[in-house]
Amino acid sequence: IAGAMGIEALPGLDAMLATMRSRALDESLAIEARREAVEVLADVSVEEVAAVAGDVMDVRQPVELQLAVADALGQSSDAETAARLLEYWPTYSPRLRERVLGALTRRAAHAGVLLDAIEAGTVAATALGSLERVRLMEFPDETVRVRAAELLSSTGGEEISEEALAAYVEALAGTDDAHRDVAAGREVFVKVCANCHRAGSGEEAIG
């Protein structure tokens, strides 16, 4: 759109965009200022937002800024942008995952990329909420609708057997300090929990 309107030819645009990219990534600025920089980039082109997405989607960045990037990238209609949104999926917080899934279930090109990720196991089918499931399974595009029905109709929350639960509780109750492996526990925390929670000095506890 920007190119069609001749915006890219405006004098000083390159310098302005470079400034906005810098501001979006400047951690010394207030979140609102960084978010506004992302919005300016999005007004010019989605590609400008994609240029900073890799850094902004880092788990250490403010979720409000990440939401702004997800919203901007979600406005694109091409599959490459959808793939970019899913590139950082394992590190996303629940709130950001919900926003990304919402964006990827509105356009056929995006939905196709999401269904590819579900089929490949990159995104768990159980990550989809009821709204996203219904949206995909009732999608106007027949190809998306049929694939969604095949991939999602048999998926749901997995129940833990009573035996497995009992063994888990027993293992926790029977573990004293001398037998706890702190290093192994921290490794699991970093891989599984760190996208939503924080631990250790200097890190924000968010529940």
Side-chain angles (χ1 to χ4, degrees):
I1 295 176
M5 296 177 63
I7 294 177
E8 294 173 351
L10 290 176
L13 181 61
D14 288 344
M16 184 272 287
L17 291 176
T19 298
M20 291 300 103
R21 289 192 294 268
S22 178
R23 287 178 64 83
L25 300 176
D26 189 346
E27 297 184 14
S28 69
L29 295 178
I31 294 175
E32 181 63 21
R34 298 177 67 188
R35 187 181 63 79
E36 289 176 355
V38 169
E39 291 174 352
V40 171
L41 293 173
D43 285 340
V44 176
S45 73
V46 173
E47 288 74 16
E48 291 294 335
V49 179
V52 300
D55 292 311
V56 172
M57 290 309 200
D58 185 282
V59 67
R60 294 165 294 186
Q61 294 297 322
V63 68
E64 290 81 3
L65 188 64
Q66 295 174 329
L67 292 171
V69 169
D71 288 342
L73 295 182
Q75 297 303 311
S76 171
S77 59
D78 68 278
E80 184 178 348
T81 302
R84 177 67 66 91
L85 270 174
L86 291 177
E87 184 177 345
Y88 318 102
W89 177 261
T91 67
Y92 289 169
S93 67
R95 184 181 175 193
L96 183 56
R97 287 188 175 192
E98 182 179 2
R99 185 69 64 90
V100 169
L101 290 175
L104 297 184
T105 52
R106 290 187 172 89
R107 293 177 170 81
H110 289 183
V113 173
L114 175 58
L115 291 172
D116 287 344
I118 291 173
E119 187 172 17
T122 305
V123 175
T126 51
L128 274 67
S130 57
L131 176 61
E132 288 76 34
R133 284 173 172 271
V134 170
R135 189 180 289 163
L136 288 172
M137 296 179 75
E138 297 182 356
F139 209 85
D141 185 284
E142 183 179 5
T143 302
V144 172
R145 193 167 62 247
V146 170
R147 284 195 70 197
E150 293 174 350
L151 291 171
L152 305 178
S153 60
S154 62
T155 60
E158 297 183 1
E159 294 186 0
I160 301 176
S161 67
E162 293 185 6
E163 293 80 4
L165 181 59
Y168 181 72
V169 172
E170 182 180 356
L172 289 177
T175 303
D176 55 31
D177 290 340
H179 295 86
R180 290 192 177 100
D181 190 333
V182 177
R186 182 171 184 80
E187 182 178 351
V188 172
F189 180 89
V190 169
K191 290 181 178 179
V192 180
C193 312
N195 64 320
C196 303
H197 306 277
R198 300 288 185 269
S201 61
E203 298 187 63
E204 181 184 2
I206 59 172

